[in-house]
Amino acid sequence: MGQNVVNADTFLVCGLGSLGQYCVSVLKEFGVKVNAIEAVNPQKWEIPDLPDLIDDLIIGDCRQAKILEQAKIRQCRAILIVTSDERMNIAGAFAARSLNPDVRLVIRSSQDNLNELLRESLGNFVAFEATQLPAKSFALAALGSETTGFFSLENHFLQVMEVSIHIGHRWRNFLQLQEINTTHRRILTHNRAGELLAQTFYQWQPDAPILSGDTITYIEVTENLVSRSQRPVKNIKQLWRTVLKTITWANLRYQLTLFWAESSQTRRVVLMSSLVMASLFLGGAFLYKLQYPQISCQEALNFSLVLSLGGYGDLFGGRELPFSIPWWLHLFSISQTVAGTVFVGILYAVMTERILAARFQFLMRRLPVPKSDHVVLVGLGRVGKLVAHLLQEMKQPLVGVHPHDLDPNLLPPIPLIVGNIKNALNKVNITTAKSVIIVTDDEVTNLEIALMTYAANPKACVVIRTVDPRFSENVARLLPYARVLGVYELAAEAFVGAAFGENILNLFRLNNQTTLVTEYQIEAHDTLNGRLLAEIAYGYGVVPILHARNSQRAPKFMPSDDIRLAVGDRLIVLATIEGLQRVELGTMLPRQCLVRVEKAVSQEAVFEGAALISRISGCDMYIARTLMNQLPGTLQYPLYKHQAHRLVNELIKCQVLASIVNSQ
């Protein structure tokens, strides 16, 4: 949540590897005290002058209570445990919680199920995997298309697009930039041809004309997805997990319906035949016990089991029974044996299908390499696998390159070239590839492959994964045509944002900056409480994309600037790390404009104008009515540029002549 920073706030970073050093660097941008724990005294710092940024460095094991005490864990607002050892991170989280029940726990961990359990048991806890957070950035960097980011919220798909305006573009029909904004779309940045990239969200002028050569970046809600609670259940394990969580009959019936609708024909046959056989087995045991009370329940179950497994001949074949059997039970026994034989046949068929499917999966590794306009993904480690899945979701032609064989179950069905990476480049049609993503764990290898790629195909988009910041800078200078993305640099801002209590839902790169999708739960002493969304957006430099009230069933995407936040509200924004810092400190940008109202054509316009002024500016209704009753006059209530433009436009619509003055 956004709240006022107390000078005594202290943050503790455990583990000063690449990620930990970046976290310290970003934390210091907030002007807070940062202590650190490292197992050994670092001999080399990846970030220059980092030792000067650390207020107190403790050498020791962050799992030990005495080490945490030395690092002043009891005075810490948050602890970031980001070592490369996940067991140490989790053990450190328990140790920190035992010493400080209120400290915010932010740890590095890739164990999704365990993380969820820890969140429930420890509380005030969040976990990220540093290498997974930037995967989308790598995938998007390789596309070379209009899409610069995408994510889902509340069962809706949102994407960030960058478009270049040409003479025939549909937006050329708009007179002003502000007309592009709708209830499902918001402009993020606007650049004229030849201008430097905008570094903040609201540098664009609302009344500026749209010209050929302009570049506009915007976010748009494009698709309504199936809710997570209503996603199709695709296997028996998932079905029973869901059933245990939702034990009501209505939910059970709904989940069974979804399972049936989304199941394959084979799975449906197995399910139905299993239910039939279970019914026949229990029914047979019941009938034999009912007909012959003298036999035990175990014997009745044994008779039914033998018949279910096709053992009719073992019980009745060629022998006189020691007891008489009525014709209907005889007929039921035959039916049970026939059904059991058919069921065994179905099981054999399913097993055969599984074996063939596994073989088919193996053969899919031999898919042909795309001829042209494809993406070459070099390195299929943890990051590479995520990038591969994302590119598959985007329906991009793709070929993977890896030095050794991989488990086919962990990869999407893509052509895979295995062996020496340098030699493998000759087999992936590198000269006709659209993009090459290089994400091996060896930075030098990544550089070498990038140089080989450029020599073979200068037009290809080259994306390189790096870790060392100095190495990243050198590579960026050496290869100006490549997109050099540092994994830990991208991830650190998400960790730091989470340390301040924010829920970081996603991140993407925009205009060479990391943009965080951040969720706020509004509390009583929050810097956001009681403010208009216009003040939050333009004052803190963030873009509200979703707002929800407790009493509201459905959240609102691209909410109106006129909404005033209250305790219990939920707000999701796009923000840079500087925007989060302003929210955290409660430091708002200065208001730039005043609105002068000249005249109103009617008394009705006077009434409507006062209501508009109060609603859009946030001023008291008395001030608005006084102004409208004493025209001409200037509203002595400073507004932000976009807020003032909107107020003037709305006043003109209701026949009140107004203009902006004192623009700075």
Side-chain angles (χ1 to χ4, degrees), residues 464-478:
I464 307 173
R465 174 194 181 190
T466 61
V467 176
D468 188 315
R470 293 191 183 120
F471 187 83
S472 301
E473 293 176 5
N474 293 333
V475 171
R477 283 195 296 266
L478 178 64

Side-chain angles (χ1 to χ4, degrees), residues 403-546:
H404 54 78
D405 283 323
L406 296 166
D407 184 353
N409 295 319
L410 300 178
L411 289 175
I414 63 172
L416 180 62
I417 306 299
V418 176
N420 184 280
I421 292 179
K422 300 168 192 174
N423 297 333
L425 291 179
N426 299 323
K427 305 175 183 178
V428 295
N429 296 324
I430 194 74
T431 57
T432 56
K434 175 176 67 175
S435 303
V436 180
I437 308 176
I438 311 165
V439 289
T440 75
D441 295 330
D442 189 330
E443 291 180 310
V444 176
T445 299
N446 293 349
L447 173 59
E448 184 178 3
I449 295 170
L451 291 170
M452 294 173 62
T453 298
Y454 183 71
N457 184 358
K459 296 181 179 179
C461 175
V462 181
V463 185
I464 307 173
R465 174 194 181 190
T466 61
V467 176
D468 188 315
R470 293 191 183 120
F471 187 83
S472 301
E473 293 176 5
N474 293 333
V475 171
R477 283 195 296 266
L478 178 64
L479 309 178
Y481 52 83
R483 301 188 184 185
V484 183
L485 301 180
V487 171
Y488 298 123
E489 183 180 6
L490 292 170
E493 295 183 354
F495 277 84
V496 170
F500 281 97
E502 326 305 358
N503 186 13
I504 308 300
L505 305 179
N506 217 305
L507 59 82
F508 57 90
R509 295 289 286 179
L510 176 63
N511 293 352
N512 299 323
Q513 291 189 107
T514 301
T515 300
L516 303 166
V517 183
T518 309
E519 180 181 37
Y520 291 97
Q521 296 287 345
I522 310 305
E523 298 182 0
H525 302 292
D526 209 306
T527 58
L528 305 179
N529 185 29
R531 294 197 178 277
L532 290 176
L533 285 189
E535 297 176 291
I536 293 169
Y538 312 127
Y540 293 128
V542 301
V543 181
I545 59 174
L546 183 143

Side-chain angles (χ1 to χ4, degrees), residues 238-293:
Q238 184 181 352
L239 172 65
W240 284 112
R241 188 185 297 122
T242 306
V243 168
L244 290 175
K245 292 180 180 179
T246 56
I247 57 176
T248 64
W249 168 244
N251 285 335
L252 175 60
R253 183 175 59 183
Y254 180 75
Q255 293 296 339
L256 287 172
T257 303
L258 282 178
F259 177 80
W260 181 262
E262 295 298 325
S263 296
S264 64
Q265 189 67 29
T266 302
R267 189 176 285 121
R268 292 181 183 181
V269 171
V270 171
L271 178 62
M272 291 305 300
S273 58
S274 298
L275 292 175
V276 170
M277 284 308 304
S279 301
L280 289 174
F281 170 70
L282 295 175
F286 174 78
L287 291 176
Y288 271 96
K289 179 63 178 175
L290 182 67
Q291 183 66 25
Y292 307 106

Side-chain angles (χ1 to χ4, degrees), residues 452-647:
M452 294 173 62
T453 298
Y454 183 71
N457 184 358
K459 296 181 179 179
C461 175
V462 181
V463 185
I464 307 173
R465 174 194 181 190
T466 61
V467 176
D468 188 315
R470 293 191 183 120
F471 187 83
S472 301
E473 293 176 5
N474 293 333
V475 171
R477 283 195 296 266
L478 178 64
L479 309 178
Y481 52 83
R483 301 188 184 185
V484 183
L485 301 180
V487 171
Y488 298 123
E489 183 180 6
L490 292 170
E493 295 183 354
F495 277 84
V496 170
F500 281 97
E502 326 305 358
N503 186 13
I504 308 300
L505 305 179
N506 217 305
L507 59 82
F508 57 90
R509 295 289 286 179
L510 176 63
N511 293 352
N512 299 323
Q513 291 189 107
T514 301
T515 300
L516 303 166
V517 183
T518 309
E519 180 181 37
Y520 291 97
Q521 296 287 345
I522 310 305
E523 298 182 0
H525 302 292
D526 209 306
T527 58
L528 305 179
N529 185 29
R531 294 197 178 277
L532 290 176
L533 285 189
E535 297 176 291
I536 293 169
Y538 312 127
Y540 293 128
V542 301
V543 181
I545 59 174
L546 183 143
H547 170 261
R549 293 201 190 278
N550 287 335
S551 59
Q552 207 173 280
R553 289 187 177 181
K556 292 183 178 179
F557 285 93
M558 312 306 164
S560 169
D561 284 352
D562 307 337
I563 295 174
R564 190 177 294 276
L565 294 185
V567 173
D569 283 8
R570 177 168 164 250
L571 179 68
I572 298 179
V573 302
L574 302 183
T576 61
I577 200 70
E578 290 80 9
L580 293 185
Q581 183 178 1
R582 280 192 288 267
V583 174
E584 175 65 22
L585 298 171
T587 304
M588 304 188 75
L589 297 170
R591 302 168 192 262
Q592 304 162 316
C593 304
L594 295 176
V595 172
R596 180 168 179 81
V597 184
E598 299 294 342
K599 65 177 182 179
V601 299
S602 64
Q603 191 60 36
E604 182 181 357
V606 169
F607 178 80
E608 291 182 4
L612 278 172
I613 291 172
S614 176
R615 176 165 57 86
I616 295 177
S617 71
C619 72
D620 187 84
M621 180 62 78
Y622 174 78
I623 296 175
R625 287 176 178 169
T626 301
L627 172 66
M628 293 302 297
N629 289 326
Q630 298 176 358
L631 297 181
T634 301
L635 177 64
Q636 298 302 318
Y637 196 91
L639 304 176
Y640 292 103
K641 175 179 61 179
H642 290 72
Q643 190 181 16
H645 274 280
R646 179 166 175 264
L647 176 56

Side-chain angles (χ1 to χ4, degrees), residues 321-377:
L321 296 176
F323 47 81
S324 60
I325 179 170
W327 67 269
W328 56 268
L329 186 56
H330 199 180
L331 182 61
F332 179 88
S333 301
I334 295 173
S335 302
Q336 188 174 358
T337 297
V338 172
T341 303
V342 173
F343 181 69
V344 171
I346 291 173
L347 290 181
Y348 276 118
V350 171
M351 292 174 64
T352 303
E353 182 189 34
R354 291 286 184 182
I355 294 172
L356 292 175
R359 183 182 177 189
F360 179 67
Q361 230 177 15
F362 173 77
L363 292 175
M364 289 176 74
R365 299 294 162 222
R366 301 182 181 179
L367 292 171
V369 175
K371 297 295 183 183
S372 62
D373 202 32
H374 57 287
V375 178
V376 178
L377 178 58

